Amino acid sequence: MTGLPGSGKSTLAKLLEAELRGRLGRYVEVLDGDEVRKGLSRDLGLSKEDREEHARRVSYVAKVLARNGVVAVVALISPYRSSRAEAREMIGAERFVEVFVKAPLSVCEQRDPKGLYAKARRGEINNMTGIQDPYEAPETPDLTVDTTAGGPEASLEGLVMGLRRLGKI
């Protein structure tokens, strides 16, 4: 799942995890970008190179999980198309589903669950995706979930329907 900070990636990933584990009995691991940064990528900053390396590390872990039968639900800003293309290639197109968690910047700024947009606007944070650093929205995602069109449960329902349509669940 890719999208701006505050678009709803983490919320949707947790709901999908519960759905896949609870109803379908699948082994699932959520790789949340913020959580992975606390461990595997704690040595990385927010430069373009560091963001690309963070995405590469998360993609590698997702690849290993998928290879062992675990559904890896990745909630990562992953702002660059090139990083997402590299992830698709690394994991394999047959296992990779790019989900664009769509919400406009204005909505994400209103949500601002961690206060990061406000800090970026005040100049307290540099390289904030969507403010000082670009977010390259997917041009042809496998699925798009518009998180402004309903609540989290409606977004989950749309996602699950899309995954079924693609034959992934």
Side-chain angles (χ1 to χ4, degrees):
M1 297 180 196
T2 178
L4 285 166
S7 61
K9 298 176 301 297
S10 296
T11 299
L12 195 53
K14 289 175 187 167
L15 290 171
L16 181 60
E17 175 188 31
E19 177 77 12
L20 295 175
R21 188 174 286 159
R23 287 195 188 182
L24 302 177
R26 303 285 303 265
Y27 293 107
V28 182
E29 184 63 47
V30 172
L31 299 173
D32 184 271
D34 289 341
E35 292 301 314
V36 175
R37 273 193 176 275
K38 292 177 185 173
L40 189 63
S41 295
R42 67 177 172 227
D43 59 322
L44 301 176
L46 297 176
S47 69
K48 182 174 190 216
E49 294 76 23
D50 284 356
R51 288 174 191 259
E52 290 172 332
E53 176 59 18
H54 177 57
R56 191 196 64 73
R57 290 178 186 180
V58 173
S59 298
Y60 180 78
V61 173
K63 172 186 168 183
V64 171
L65 289 169
R67 187 173 62 205
N68 288 285
V70 177
V71 177
V73 178
V74 177
L76 194 66
I77 297 169
S78 191
Y80 310 117
R81 289 185 190 113
S82 60
S83 292
R84 297 191 299 267
E86 183 180 349
R88 182 183 297 271
E89 185 175 326
M90 182 187 300
I91 294 166
E94 72 284 353
R95 291 183 172 167
F96 186 90
V97 178
E98 183 180 58
V99 178
F100 178 32
V101 180
K102 184 178 176 183
L105 178 62
S106 60
V107 171
C108 294
E109 282 197 78
Q110 287 175 348
R111 291 176 179 165
D112 203 9
K114 298 172 188 165
L116 298 177
Y117 284 108
K119 288 181 180 177
R121 293 288 185 195
R122 291 192 303 262
E124 297 171 16
I125 294 177
N126 294 318
N127 299 325
M128 174 79 180
T129 300
I131 306 295
Q132 300 102 342
D133 202 52
Y135 175 74
E136 300 171 353
E139 294 177 325
T140 56
D142 298 302
L143 297 171
T144 298
V145 178
D146 183 345
T147 60
T148 64
E153 294 298 331
S155 295
L156 174 65
E157 185 178 327
L159 177 58
V160 169
M161 287 175 40
L163 291 170
R164 284 193 175 125
R165 191 177 64 249
L166 294 174
K168 300 298 181 182
I169 59 173

